[in-house]
Amino acid sequence: MASSPRKLIVVDDDPVDVRFVMRAFSDAGSPIEITHVADAEVASDRLATEAFDYILLDINMPGTNGMDLLKRLRGRTRTAVTPVIMLSSSSNSADVNRAYENGANAYAVKPSTISGYRDFAEGFTRFWIDVAVSP
């Protein structure tokens, strides 16, 4: 594991979901530093100048949605290969397929319970931090 903490940016406009994500990573003891941004345009600006190891991205947001942000990020040298994990309330196969077609590394449906979020955070940590080799 790297000596400096890994950095995750969570792009989601729903404060309840974000609270669940942050609490779940904390409860899981995940060695990750989390930044929350509620707006895709603000996230786009931050990702243009700041380095993050992972991007957790919601699809349904007002203004620029997560799918449009994903396309934009994949077109930039700085974020072209940064792992993007879509975390959406949509289980629609068209959304899932579009996310992968646009360069998402993974797609998960938002859990309905805090224990579901904890399972997500533990699985994320086990794979993305403990197993996967980052670009």
Side-chain angles (χ1 to χ4, degrees):
M1 201 180 308
S3 55
S4 62
R6 299 298 184 112
K7 291 176 66 177
L8 167 69
I9 185 169
V10 177
V11 186
D12 193 327
D13 66 314
D14 187 320
V16 173
D17 288 339
V18 172
R19 220 172 19 255
F20 282 154
V21 166
M22 308 226 0
R23 180 175 163 196
F25 275 95
S26 174
D27 288 355
S30 183
I32 198 159
E33 181 182 302
I34 301 174
T35 299
H36 169 239
V37 178
D39 175 272
E41 287 303 324
V42 173
S44 179
D45 292 345
R46 291 209 45 189
L47 286 158
T49 59
E50 290 179 57
F52 289 91
D53 298 293
Y54 315 98
I55 302 164
L56 195 59
L57 182 57
D58 186 24
I59 293 176
N60 300 312
M61 293 183 285
T64 302
N65 69 35
M67 210 63 79
D68 291 336
L69 178 58
L70 174 61
K71 287 186 230 176
R72 187 182 305 169
L73 296 174
R74 289 306 185 220
R76 292 180 183 165
T77 303
R78 179 181 198 96
T79 53
V81 296
T82 304
V84 176
I85 297 85
M86 306 303 287
L87 184 61
S88 175
S89 55
S90 173
S91 58
N92 181 312
S93 61
D95 286 337
V96 174
N97 291 337
R98 245 178 59 228
Y100 283 115
E101 286 165 3
N102 288 315
N105 297 88
Y107 190 105
V109 176
K110 287 181 178 178
S112 56
T113 63
I114 189 62
S115 66
Y117 274 96
R118 205 171 295 116
D119 290 345
F120 171 82
E122 290 168 357
F124 181 102
T125 301
R126 268 195 315 276
F127 180 76
W128 291 106
I129 296 176
D130 297 342
V131 175
V133 177
S134 295

